[in-house]
Amino acid sequence: MRRVGDKRCRVTSSEPSTMPLERQTEAVLKTRKEVRSMRLPEICDMDIEAAEAQWGFPLDQERRAVLRCMDTVDIRACPGSGKTTLLVTKLGILASKWKYKHRGVCVLSHTNAAQREIERRFSQVPSLRALTAYPHFVGTIQSFLHQFMSIPAAIERFGTRPGVVENEYYEIEAKKEFFQGTRRKGPYATAWNAIANWIKRNPNVTIADYISREIEYKDENLTLPPLGLKNRPVGWDSPTGKQLRQFKKRMSQQGIFRYQDMAALAGWYLKKHPMIADLLQERFLMVFFDEMQDTIVEQGCLLDALFPERSVVQRFGDNRQAIYHSTADNMTGAHFPRGTVLPMKKSFRLSPSIARLSQCVCADSPPEELVGDTRKADRRHTVLVFKRDRIQEVLPDFCRLVACEIRTGLSETQVKAVGANSKAKEEANKFPSAISDYWPSFVPRYQRAQARLTCLSAHLDQAKTGMITTRSTGKGRTLLLDACARMLRLQGITDRSRPLSPSTMVRQLRDKCPAEYRRLNTLLAITCQTLLRGGKPNLGEFAEEARAALGHFNAESWNPHVDQFICNTRGEANVQQALQNQSLANDNVFRYQCEAGPVSVKVDTIHSVKGETLCAVLVLETIFYEHDLKALIDKGYLKGQLRNANPLRRLAEHLKRIYVAMTRPTDLLCLAVLDEHIKNGDLQALERLGWAIKEIL
């Protein structure tokens, strides 16, 4: 068994987020005398063979090396390598051998989706359920930093526990705080006029935008951003600066923060109490990261400071798939991978031909070999070359290829057409600019969500779309509960001075007023069923019944802010326009009737399919400063002419996005390229590499 460090403690069951730091330190000093060393379980061949039989997951030498390794290491896993399954397999073996009551394993992921996938796997194996409780931790990086650092920092610095941490909620509350009184006599009148002067030349920014998005803590010193114009800066000691500082202080004292504020508070807490790193290393003997390549630079640096030496840190990821802005890899290229690296080159998702074609767009230099699964059949992967006036024939042609190469009747969740850009541009030289050029009925997610928080009507519309799309009432109930909690927050109802969240609202109602709790549930059930059948409830009747069900929280008359939330329909027109084709639930599914049968294609962005395994994918050429597929053809990548030098940042971003898109399918891969972007010899080079060419004339 492997020995971990020589500084050990036995931490009490209180979490660091609620236990005073002095008591934590005292506990560490006492227990280090009792526990001199601890050993991590060893994973042997017998454990691996038992896991292989249990999961039905082939464990070759690469994967066995990852399972056996009990040292700090980075695991660079190719698309479809089963890294999450391998991580869960390793956690399952560790959980069955874990003997420590006050020392645990920490499992962190970048996104909620990755966390939910890990938890879903946990639910399938009884031994893994132990990892969801103390002394272990499973969650997102953000939730980890909030619990152990940002929340105690807010309590210590501002005397309040953060309530709802959400940028959109912050914007609503910031406007309520700032726009008190009038522009001449309000508490922030000087700042109001100054900001109006700063932004007058920028029609896309309002005063509300400025105060709700720009005034945030930037670093571990809780520094606020520069004020004024570049050529006319304004100091924080000026009358305007003092008012804005007071505004931010008021928001903080109410427990209302932006995500960036919480990140800065975490850094502030670590700077003031550096021993928190010792405490967390004492608590967590092993730390696992999933999708490490997507971790924000600031979070990565903070985590490095928290787990510098004694904890065993194993990070799973693939820097070739780092497509989110401001990730460590995009910013510096140094955070992942680093140090000792274990590769996982074999993909169980990709056929050999898709692996070979996809390897051409790796951002590596030289590219690491990508090995496909020889059990999978190779198909006619096709480049669809279209003329301007034939662009709307691209999706029908792709449907016919799917019907021919695979079959008809596949679920829309298995066949997708994806592009990098969802925002259309008008200039002729930027055609095709966005996904909607291929299918005008496509509605970007930002349009569907833009009015979500403006009014009750928008909540109902979003609930309706979500339920029809998912064919369940879960999404609708969540949105309706959010609307009810929003009414209470606008009324000024809090939970011990913290903003009232939907879950707290439901819990308090259930525990203290069962009759009103049943009344609210009845209202939600009836409303969800009405929406699911395509109907639209009466806003006034819903609001009246909701107010009655929420009477426990508010016995007084409801204020004008709540009335405006209920009656405001300014956002409704935008929502209705964005949610056109309601009969099809506007789920962005293109449906086509081939001779052999129906084919449905989900149309979405490349970012939306990251982490998915699909049957067939069509990659649509769009523009991000330049046309992505054109750039990769011109530079030789898509033609198999790999470069030795590392690509510049913008080209590297194209490569990573297209690499993510091309490595989703198990069976069929297609590209759509405008014919004007094809030069002499390009088609022949693509064919020599293994692409089939289909011209849409």
Side-chain angles (χ1 to χ4, degrees):
M1 297 183 72
R2 185 183 179 280
R3 180 171 296 181
V4 182
D6 57 2
K7 298 178 181 180
R8 291 290 163 250
C9 73
R10 185 177 181 183
V11 182
T12 68
S13 60
S14 297
E15 294 289 347
S17 60
T18 58
M19 184 179 181
L21 200 58
E22 294 78 6
R23 286 180 56 200
Q24 296 178 49
T25 306
E26 182 182 351
V28 171
L29 293 174
K30 287 182 178 179
T31 54
R32 278 181 180 167
K33 297 178 181 179
E34 301 171 2
V35 184
R36 295 299 179 187
S37 65
M38 282 198 169
R39 299 174 184 274
L40 292 175
E42 287 184 350
I43 297 179
C44 62
D45 288 341
M46 186 179 300
D47 299 320
I48 295 174
E49 289 163 7
E52 188 173 35
Q54 179 182 7
W55 289 88
F57 181 61
L59 297 171
D60 56 15
Q61 291 306 310
E62 280 185 344
R63 287 157 182 79
R64 287 172 180 252
V66 173
L67 290 176
R68 291 192 193 98
C69 181
M70 299 303 286
D71 296 305
T72 292
V73 69
D74 281 356
I75 296 94
R76 191 185 197 227
C78 75
S81 60
K83 65 177 176 56
T84 301
T85 300
L86 189 67
L87 172 57
V88 172
T89 301
K90 184 165 188 173
L91 291 171
I93 297 173
L94 289 174
S96 66
K97 293 188 165 191
W98 203 261
K99 305 300 182 184
Y100 308 123
K101 294 181 179 179
H102 302 286
R103 302 296 184 61
V105 172
C106 183
V107 185
L108 302 177
S109 57
H110 174 67
T111 63
N112 288 316
Q115 177 196 346
R116 287 193 295 269
E117 178 61 19
I118 291 173
E119 290 177 340
R120 184 185 69 81
R121 306 282 183 93
F122 278 19
S123 66
Q124 299 171 355
V125 183
S127 64
L128 284 168
R129 295 170 192 164
L131 297 183
T132 61
Y134 179 87
H136 311 288
F137 183 93
V138 178
T140 63
I141 294 173
Q142 188 176 80
S143 67
F144 175 83
L145 294 176
H146 284 190
Q147 177 172 325
F148 291 99
M149 301 180 70
S150 303
I151 291 175
I155 294 171
E156 180 177 335
R157 179 68 177 80
F158 298 108
T160 186
R161 184 184 182 91
V164 180
V165 179
E166 181 186 76
N167 286 352
E168 291 172 328
Y169 173 68
Y170 179 94
E171 292 176 15
I172 292 172
E173 295 302 314
K175 293 170 189 176
K176 286 172 57 180
E177 171 66 28
F178 190 82
F179 294 119
Q180 298 179 54
T182 66
R183 186 166 176 172
R184 292 185 178 181
K185 297 184 179 180
Y188 308 110
T190 301
W192 190 332
N193 286 285
I195 295 171
N197 185 54
W198 300 339
I199 66 173
K200 63 184 179 182
R201 294 184 179 179
N202 189 347
N204 297 321
V205 178
T206 66
I207 296 174
D209 293 336
Y210 188 94
I211 58 101
S212 60
R213 300 175 188 175
E214 299 298 324
I215 310 300
E216 62 182 7
Y217 302 122
K218 295 296 184 183
D219 53 35
E220 69 275 6
N221 297 316
L222 303 187
T223 306
L224 291 169
L227 297 176
L229 304 173
K230 288 184 178 179
N231 58 347
R232 285 190 298 169
V234 174
W236 280 98
D237 292 329
S238 66
T240 294
K242 289 178 179 178
Q243 286 190 0
L244 289 175
R245 191 184 296 278
Q246 179 63 22
F247 159 76
K248 187 62 178 178
K249 182 179 179 180
R250 284 275 302 145
M251 294 295 291
S252 300
Q253 289 175 339
Q254 296 174 60
I256 303 171
F257 297 98
R258 290 175 59 82
Y259 290 123
Q260 172 57 34
D261 294 331
M262 296 294 281
L265 281 167
W268 177 87
Y269 196 67
L270 179 60
K271 182 178 180 180
K272 187 170 183 181
H273 303 292
M275 71 284 292
I276 191 67
D278 288 333
L279 298 174
L280 290 174
Q281 290 177 75
E282 297 287 352
R283 163 76 176 272
F284 299 113
L285 298 184
M286 295 196 75
V287 183
F288 295 93
F289 292 95
D290 193 19
E291 302 291 356
M292 187 64 197
Q293 78 281 350
D294 292 326
T295 302
I296 298 170
V297 174
E298 293 79 7
Q299 287 183 344
C301 293
L302 200 55
L303 292 165
D304 288 343
L306 290 176
F307 301 108
E309 49 185 33
R310 289 203 308 275
S311 298
V312 171
V313 177
Q314 298 193 351
R315 310 188 307 169
F316 290 71
D318 184 1
N319 57 310
R320 297 161 294 189
Q321 299 184 68
I323 63 173
Y324 293 110
H325 291 296
S326 298
T327 59
D329 186 69
N330 280 338
M331 294 292 287
T332 67
H335 287 164
F336 185 87
R338 69 182 178 201
T340 304
V341 178
L342 293 178
M344 291 173 61
K345 302 176 184 178
K346 182 176 180 179
S347 174
F348 295 119
R349 174 192 301 157
L350 308 178
S351 66
S353 57
I354 293 180
R356 185 181 67 254
L357 295 173
S358 299
Q359 185 172 319
C360 295
V361 293
C362 280
D364 281 349
S365 181
E368 183 178 271
E369 182 184 11
L370 183 59
V371 181
D373 189 342
T374 55
R375 297 171 299 179
K376 295 185 179 297
D378 287 329
R379 309 217 181 239
R380 193 161 54 104
H381 310 301
T382 303
V383 178
L384 300 173
V385 182
F386 61 90
K387 292 186 175 295
R388 282 178 178 260
D389 59 351
R390 302 289 287 171
I391 189 170
Q392 292 182 27
E393 293 300 316
V394 169
L395 286 176
D397 263 46
F398 175 60
C399 289
R400 287 190 282 269
L401 277 171
V402 171
C404 177
E405 293 292 324
I406 309 175
R407 62 181 175 85
T408 60
L410 290 169
S411 166
E412 65 243 24
T413 61
Q414 291 297 302
V415 182
K416 295 192 177 183
V418 296
N421 184 27
S422 61
K423 297 183 179 180
K425 302 181 184 297
E426 298 296 331
E427 297 90 334
N429 66 335
K430 294 182 177 179
F431 179 89
S433 65
I435 299 170
S436 56
D437 289 332
Y438 295 85
W439 186 38
S441 295
F442 172 76
V443 180
R445 294 188 179 197
Y446 73 91
Q447 286 186 14
R448 298 201 300 270
Q450 66 183 358
R452 176 186 169 193
L453 301 173
T454 61
C455 57
L456 176 60
S457 177
H459 279 76
L460 293 173
D461 284 328
Q462 292 283 355
K464 180 177 182 179
T465 303
M467 287 190 296
I468 294 176
T469 302
T470 61
R471 297 175 177 83
S472 71
T473 60
K475 179 72 171 177
R477 178 180 169 84
T478 299
L479 284 163
L480 296 180
L481 283 173
D482 181 67
C484 293
R486 183 65 46 80
M487 290 167 60
L488 292 174
R489 292 196 294 265
L490 291 172
Q491 183 67 12
I493 308 298
T494 62
D495 173 32
R496 291 174 293 179
S497 78
R498 300 193 303 269
L500 191 69
S501 67
S503 59
T504 300
M505 174 190 71
V506 170
R507 185 176 63 252
Q508 290 188 10
L509 208 58
R510 182 189 61 219
D511 295 344
K512 298 179 180 180
C513 298
E516 292 183 355
Y517 172 69
R518 289 192 295 271
R519 185 171 185 174
L520 179 62
N521 273 335
T522 301
L523 172 64
L524 298 181
I526 293 173
T527 304
C528 286
Q529 289 302 319
T530 301
L531 292 170
L532 198 54
R533 290 194 297 266
K536 184 170 184 178
N538 181 283
L539 287 179
E541 292 177 359
F542 177 89
E544 182 179 356
E545 185 64 15
R547 284 168 164 168
L550 299 173
H552 161 73
F553 297 98
N554 181 55
E556 303 174 358
S557 60
W558 295 78
N559 66 37
H561 295 298
V562 179
D563 293 335
Q564 183 180 7
F565 173 74
I566 294 169
C567 299
N568 175 28
T569 56
R570 286 180 297 173
E572 185 177 2
N574 292 333
V575 175
Q576 290 299 337
Q577 181 180 1
L579 300 177
Q580 55 188 304
N581 301 327
Q582 199 64 264
S583 61
L584 297 179
N586 193 33
D587 48 4
N588 282 336
V589 174
F590 178 82
R591 295 174 172 85
Y592 186 75
Q593 185 65 39
C594 300
E595 290 184 5
V599 175
S600 296
V601 180
K602 176 78 171 181
V603 183
D604 216 329
T605 63
I606 292 174
H607 284 75
S608 72
V609 298
K610 188 172 184 295
E612 293 186 0
T613 296
L614 308 170
C615 280
V617 168
L618 168 64
V619 184
L620 305 171
E621 182 178 43
T622 63
I623 196 165
F624 184 75
Y625 293 101
E626 60 186 345
H627 286 98
D628 44 19
L629 295 185
K630 177 182 184 297
L632 300 190
I633 292 174
D634 289 346
K635 296 294 184 181
Y637 287 95
L638 280 172
K639 295 182 288 186
Q641 301 165 5
L642 305 181
R643 302 302 180 94
N644 292 324
N646 288 322
L648 297 177
R649 176 168 176 169
R650 188 167 297 165
L651 181 59
E653 290 176 349
H654 288 320
L655 286 168
K656 290 174 183 177
R657 280 190 291 267
I658 300 305
Y659 181 76
V660 166
M662 289 177 62
T663 54
R664 297 309 97 196
T666 58
D667 292 271
L668 180 65
L669 173 63
C670 296
L671 310 178
V673 184
L674 181 66
D675 65 340
E676 299 167 19
H677 297 162
I678 300 292
K679 301 190 298 294
N680 289 336
D682 286 346
L683 294 182
Q684 292 82 350
L686 289 168
E687 286 180 313
R688 284 196 297 271
L689 194 62
W691 290 101
I693 307 297
K694 171 70 165 63
E695 297 187 62
I696 304 176
L697 305 174

